[in-house]
Amino acid sequence: MKKFVSIILVLLLTVSVFTACSDKSAEKVNVLDTEEGGIVKMSELKQNKTNKKAGFQLEEPEIGEEIAVVETTSGTFKIRFFPEEAPMAVYNFKKLALEGYYDGLTFHRIMDNFMIQGGDPTGTGIGGDSIWNEDFPDEFNENLVNITGSLSMANKGPNTNSSQFFINYCKTAPDWEYYEMFYDAYKEDPEFINEYYGGCVDLDKLSDEVKAMYNEHGGNLHLDGAFNTAGSGHTVFGQVFEGLDVVEKISKVETDENNKPLGKVIIKSITIVKYE
């Protein structure tokens, strides 16, 4: 058991350093349709409960839906958003992109078979501001998960979202035996696991559909806040639907011991357009 706990600690230490008016419903956060100048308040961006099932994040965008075209020095990829499920994260990203906030920034942290992270104007992993100049809350959803290609908010703890984001790229299916061992340890001593390790995956909350998605697409199950016993995790608010090979290419660049690329991978521009 001591050996197992040591392995868990190493893993968690590795993945936790992401340091990173009138009531408007979530579907009204389409920035291209709003008046220029004003910024929608956080309090006006409410999550909408829908009947969508796990797997909808892999669907193609609808005609007229706002998407992001991300042009990098390694190629271009496209992202669809989920404004009903994560309205604050979506609005924040779109608005920052329209203001050119991300243009010229780098993917400052890259881990092969894990993720690529960007959105920090300092390039250090500890900088960045939201469109509101303050952190905003997490928006977890049990049917939006950190599978390969998903766009998520980086943070430095619960409810500390700002400008940094990452794209999951892990083609390895979950080691279910590993998660079961950790969950068994939680059931024996939940306070210890939650406080010392920041929680674990509550396997009883996972639907068969979510398990199937991870088995087929891979990803980082331990980052899903909706299933974390301590309520910590990372908000999923978008999905790469075109150009995933570019994300894979970026994820494999050579890095130093701190996961910083030896050669810069630059975000040339992020353009918000309507899908045609």
Side-chain angles (χ1 to χ4, degrees):
M1 184 65 181
K2 289 183 178 179
K3 180 179 179 181
F4 166 69
V5 171
S6 297
I7 293 173
I8 297 298
L9 177 59
V10 171
L11 176 62
L12 290 177
L13 287 175
T14 299
V15 302
S16 64
V17 190
F18 275 98
T19 54
C21 101
S22 61
D23 185 32
K24 293 182 174 65
S25 60
E27 60 262 36
K28 293 183 179 179
V29 298
N30 289 331
V31 294
L32 297 180
D33 295 331
T34 59
E35 295 182 2
E36 295 183 3
I39 297 177
V40 176
K41 296 178 181 178
M42 276 190 254
S43 60
E44 297 176 334
L45 299 172
K46 307 289 187 181
Q47 285 180 291
N48 282 349
K49 291 185 177 181
T50 67
N51 294 320
K52 297 175 185 175
K53 303 297 183 183
F56 79 91
Q57 73 187 86
L58 293 169
E59 297 171 357
E60 288 286 310
E62 297 181 357
I63 300 298
E65 184 176 323
E66 291 182 1
I67 65 168
V69 180
V70 184
E71 184 181 358
T72 78
T73 50
S74 294
T76 300
F77 56 89
K78 297 179 181 180
I79 299 170
R80 67 166 304 198
F81 296 105
F82 308 110
E84 289 187 314
E85 293 75 17
M88 284 182 287
V90 170
Y91 181 82
N92 176 68
F93 185 93
K94 286 181 179 180
K95 197 70 172 175
L96 289 176
L98 284 174
E99 293 189 355
Y101 185 95
Y102 294 124
D103 297 355
L105 303 190
T106 64
F107 284 101
H108 61 272
R109 184 170 182 248
I110 295 175
M111 299 177 71
D112 186 22
N113 204 38
F114 185 27
M115 62 88 209
I116 64 175
Q117 183 173 339
D120 176 7
T122 72
T124 64
I126 60 174
D129 293 299
S130 75
I131 196 66
W132 301 284
N133 293 313
E134 61 179 298
D135 293 344
F136 62 92
D138 298 316
E139 299 170 293
F140 302 141
N141 185 293
E142 62 185 9
N143 291 319
L144 273 180
V145 293
N146 283 276
I147 58 172
T148 291
S150 57
L151 172 68
S152 300
M153 291 302 304
N155 61 45
K156 50 186 179 292
N159 303 310
T160 59
N161 303 290
S162 56
S163 66
Q164 291 192 47
F165 60 88
F166 64 95
I167 300 172
N168 289 281
Y169 196 89
C170 174
K171 297 300 288 183
T172 306
D175 182 344
W176 295 109
E177 183 177 351
Y178 161 83
Y179 283 112
E180 288 170 3
M181 289 176 63
F182 201 17
Y183 189 41
D184 286 342
Y186 163 79
K187 286 185 286 188
E188 290 180 8
D189 193 344
E191 184 176 347
F192 173 74
I193 296 298
N194 280 349
E195 291 188 7
Y196 192 68
Y197 292 114
C200 69
V201 177
D202 186 338
L203 295 177
D204 291 336
K205 291 184 177 180
L206 293 181
S207 66
D208 290 340
E209 291 80 8
V210 167
K211 291 179 180 178
M213 288 175 65
Y214 273 109
N215 284 332
E216 181 177 358
H217 301 283
N220 299 299
L221 172 62
H222 55 283
L223 302 184
D224 288 332
F227 309 122
N228 182 276
T229 58
S232 63
H234 299 269
T235 298
V236 175
F237 65 102
Q239 181 77 27
V240 175
F241 69 91
E242 185 178 313
L244 192 57
D245 58 321
V246 175
V247 177
E248 178 183 18
K249 179 180 178 181
I250 295 172
S251 75
K252 295 186 179 302
V253 303
E254 189 175 0
T255 61
D256 63 17
E257 65 276 9
N258 296 314
N259 303 310
K260 188 177 183 63
L262 297 182
K264 288 186 176 182
V265 182
I266 300 172
I267 299 171
K268 298 169 70 175
S269 66
I270 299 181
T271 308
I272 307 300
V273 300
K274 291 193 176 183
Y275 184 68
E276 298 179 349

